[in-house]
């Protein structure tokens, strides 16, 4: 069996996402978009059960899947979904000295991410998640 295309094109697809996120958020660098995305992913992940987080990761492209699980502290206390402003402040705590995520970070990542996933599968999955999960990813 050949290597699946998802793996062969992983780096290019990841960079395409980073450029999309950078441009959507009006940022100047894919490095800044990377930190913004990782922060948004961590904030969302903290609000899911481990099973739900793994299911979520599985609908992401391979490199975004890896970013979603990077630095995962399984002992971290699970948090409730809050208003977007509060969760955006939490996004900005990741590498705070070097985090330039805008106030629209969650919305910007949601918009970009939806252009890089199977949106129907993404929405079907979110419909099964706890209250607040679907709203988190609304653009």
């Amino acid at each position: 069996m050949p290597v699946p295309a998802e793996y062969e094109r992983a780096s290019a697809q990841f960079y395409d996402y980073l450029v999309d996120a950078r441009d959507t958020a009006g940022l100047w660098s894919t490095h800044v978009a990377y930190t913004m995305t990782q922060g948004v992913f961590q904030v969302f992940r903290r609000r899911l059960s481990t099973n739900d987080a793994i299911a979520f990761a599985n609908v992401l492209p391979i490199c975004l899947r890896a970013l979603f699980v990077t630095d995962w502290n399984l002992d971290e206390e699970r948090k409730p979904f809050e208003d977007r402003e509060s969760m955006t402040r939490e996004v900005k705590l990741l590498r705070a000295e070097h985090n330039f995520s805008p106030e629209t970070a969650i919305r910007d990542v949601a918009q970009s991410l939806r252009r890089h996933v199977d949106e129907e599968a993404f929405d079907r999955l979110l419909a099964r998640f706890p209250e607040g999960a679907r709203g988190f990813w609304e653009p």
Side-chain angles (χ1 to χ4, degrees):
M1 178 175 167
V3 175
E6 175 182 34
Y7 288 88
E8 280 190 335
R9 297 203 61 248
S11 293
Q13 290 173 339
F14 184 54
Y15 191 71
D16 288 347
Y17 164 80
L18 290 174
V19 168
D20 187 351
R22 176 199 68 197
D23 294 349
T24 298
L27 300 171
W28 58 94
S29 163
T30 54
H31 299 279
V32 178
Y34 174 90
T35 295
M36 174 181 70
T37 300
Q38 186 177 23
V40 169
F41 278 176
Q42 287 182 4
V43 167
F44 184 66
R45 190 179 69 201
R46 287 182 190 117
R47 286 153 176 82
L48 299 178
S49 69
T50 303
N51 287 342
D52 285 348
I54 290 170
F56 181 80
N58 282 331
V59 300
L60 300 176
I62 195 72
C63 288
L64 288 170
R65 186 179 311 157
L67 183 58
F68 184 78
V69 300
T70 296
D71 298 327
W72 192 349
N73 176 358
L74 292 172
D75 297 323
E76 189 171 38
E77 184 176 332
R78 192 166 160 195
K79 293 185 167 193
F81 283 97
E82 303 167 277
D83 62 272
R84 195 167 267 191
E85 183 179 304
S86 299
M87 292 187 291
T88 299
R89 281 194 301 273
E90 189 178 335
V91 167
K92 293 178 175 201
L93 293 175
L94 175 66
R95 294 188 290 281
E97 296 294 318
H98 305 284
N99 188 328
F100 302 100
S101 297
E103 296 302 317
T104 56
I106 294 171
R107 184 201 69 200
D108 296 339
V109 171
Q111 287 177 352
S112 298
L113 187 63
R114 285 180 170 281
R115 290 189 285 267
H116 295 269
V117 298
D118 175 338
E119 211 168 352
E120 286 181 23
F122 189 74
D123 285 331
R124 271 194 313 274
L125 180 68
L126 291 176
R128 297 186 2 232
F129 280 7
E131 188 175 331
R134 181 180 280 173
F136 188 94
W137 292 107
E138 286 180 3

